[in-house]
Each structure stands twice: as C-alpha cells, then as structure tokens.
C-alpha cells in the first residue's frame, strides 16, 4: 500500500496534475493506498461531477464530495460501470466474458448473436475516452508476405475483467458464452471447436485467474 504522499501523487498524476490540495487528499484516501482503486475512484468522481474543473484546476464540487467510504479497486470499478449508459454497460459485459481481450469484429458479431443492438464503433470510442478500454491495431502477416490489420479491444487491467465478469447474472453470462461459441465456430471452423465448446459450456472467461 502507498503512503499518504504516494497516494496523493497517484491521484494528481491520474488527473494530469489538475487536482488541488483538497481534491488530491480526498480521492487519494478513497482508494485506501491502492493505486488502481485511487484511479478508479477519481475517474468516477470526474464522470459524476463530484470533481469539477475551473481554470484548469480540479476541486471537489461540494463539502461532501470525495468523503465517501474507502473501497477496493473492484468495488470502484463496479460503481463506475453502474453509472454508464446502457450501451456501454452491455459492451463492458461482452468484453468481460472472453477474459477482457477481444477483436472488435468479434464483438460486433457477438452483439448481433446475443440480440444486443447498439452502435459498436461509437460505444467503443466512448469506452476508450472514459478510460475503460484500450484499442490497439495488430498487423497479421500471411504466407505470401502480405499483412492485414486487426483491431483489438482490452481492459487496462486484469482487475477490470474480474470485477465486471462477476457482476453478470448467470443467464446473461450463459447467453453471451453461447453467442461467442457460435461466432468462433463460424470464424474458425474445426480449429475453433475446442474453444467454442468451452464457451458453450459457460466456463470460459472465469474470474478466478490472476
């Protein structure tokens, strides 16, 4: 766990140096000395308006802002997810099932299979802007020396996968596993049968790993 000074440094860094002394002390405390918990608490504070910006400085909105309970990183992650709009929450759930790392094209197909209708590109952009995910481009070579580009979506930390996967109801989790299994079968054929069967059994993406 971080010292008080170290925790405040994390809070200041997460805000781009904008937090005033009052805000850095309050949000550093909310994370209980855990760097990820501090970042998640502050990110929620900014999103909810409890942290307000004026002339490039950030300060608590009110005397009560930032004075809540100290929580773990996973609890701050779940609190953040709960205030997101419905499309964003749905996308976070889908990303959480395949261990928090998936191709963007696969997410689109899984959404269709699961009957979740939303603007995937706009939702992913929102999640990237609000620090939920990272989006990266990967170049894949073939035997002819040509390359194609795949877009991958990932949570920034394993903790996000664990926290969000555990919020899914059993039926919702089963529905998403089945949708992923069908997409894998379509894309990979025989080579994807083992992984598809794993998802069809509802076992993949479990949050017990490190």
């Amino acid at each position: 766990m971080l010292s008080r000074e170290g925790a405040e440094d994390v809070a200041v860094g997460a805000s781009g140096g904008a937090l005033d002394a009052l805000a850095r002390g309050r949000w550093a405390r909310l994370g209980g000395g855990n760097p990820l918990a501090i970042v998640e608490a502050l990110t929620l504070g900014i999103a909810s308006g409890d942290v307000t910006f004026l002339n490039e400085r950030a300060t608590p909105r009110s005397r009560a802002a930032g004075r809540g309970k100290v929580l773990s990183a996973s609890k701050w992650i779940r609190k953040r997810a709960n205030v997101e709009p419905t499309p964003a929450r749905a996308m976070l759930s889908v990303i959480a099932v395949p261990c928090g790392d998936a191709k963007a094209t696969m997410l689109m197909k899984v959404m269709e299979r699961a009957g979740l209708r939303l603007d995937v590109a706009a939702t992913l952009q929102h999640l990237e802007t609000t620090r939920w995910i990272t989006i990266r481009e990967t170049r894949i070579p073939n035997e002819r020396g040509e390359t194609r580009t795949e877009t991958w979506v990932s949570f920034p930390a394993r903790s996000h996968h664990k926290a969000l996967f555990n919020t899914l109801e059993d039926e919702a989790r089963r529905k998403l596993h089945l949708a992923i299994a069908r997409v894998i079968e379509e894309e990979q054929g025989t080579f994807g049968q083992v992984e598809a069967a794993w998802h069809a059994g509802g076992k993949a993406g479990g949050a017990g790993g490190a």
Side-chain angles (χ1 to χ4, degrees):
M1 293 297 166
L2 297 173
S3 64
R4 177 178 175 179
E5 182 179 283
E8 291 189 4
D9 287 343
V10 170
V12 172
S15 71
L19 293 185
D20 64 15
L22 186 59
R24 73 179 64 173
R26 290 188 186 181
W27 270 272
R29 182 192 66 81
L30 288 176
N34 179 289
L36 181 58
I38 294 167
V39 171
E40 292 297 320
L42 178 61
T43 303
L44 176 59
I46 293 171
S48 66
D50 279 347
V51 177
T52 60
F53 287 79
L54 179 64
N55 297 327
E56 300 185 352
R57 296 299 290 169
T59 192
R61 178 179 61 182
S62 66
R63 294 176 68 179
R67 291 185 179 276
K69 293 181 179 179
V70 174
L71 299 175
S72 65
S74 62
K75 289 183 178 179
W76 283 119
I77 290 168
R78 287 193 286 269
K79 283 175 71 72
R80 277 186 66 203
N82 287 338
V83 302
E84 286 290 345
T86 300
R89 291 200 308 272
M91 181 63 78
L92 289 171
S93 296
V94 173
I95 298 171
V97 174
C99 298
D101 188 54
K103 287 191 298 184
T105 53
M106 181 182 181
L107 292 175
M108 295 177 68
K109 293 176 181 179
V110 170
M111 286 289 192
E112 292 175 2
R113 279 280 186 177
L116 300 171
R117 302 186 182 280
L118 53 87
D119 186 332
V120 173
T123 303
L124 290 177
Q125 183 176 22
H126 165 76
L127 292 176
E128 183 181 37
T129 300
T130 52
R131 302 181 181 181
W132 276 112
I133 60 171
T134 57
I135 299 177
R136 68 185 189 278
E137 302 291 334
T138 301
R139 290 177 140 343
I140 309 296
N142 62 21
E143 63 277 6
R144 297 188 299 274
E146 301 168 339
T147 60
R148 58 186 171 85
T149 301
E150 291 182 344
T151 301
W152 285 77
V153 176
S154 307
F155 288 136
R158 180 73 170 168
S159 297
H160 292 79
H161 162 241
K162 291 181 181 180
L164 295 170
F165 185 85
N166 286 336
T167 64
L168 289 172
E169 298 292 336
D170 288 343
E171 179 58 25
R173 190 178 299 169
R174 186 191 67 81
K175 185 177 182 180
L176 290 175
H177 274 306
L178 288 174
I180 291 171
R182 299 292 83 81
V183 171
I184 291 173
E185 287 178 347
E186 291 173 358
E187 289 191 343
Q188 301 181 27
T190 303
F191 295 103
Q193 286 181 356
V194 173
E195 186 178 358
W198 193 25
H199 279 288
K203 298 175 183 178

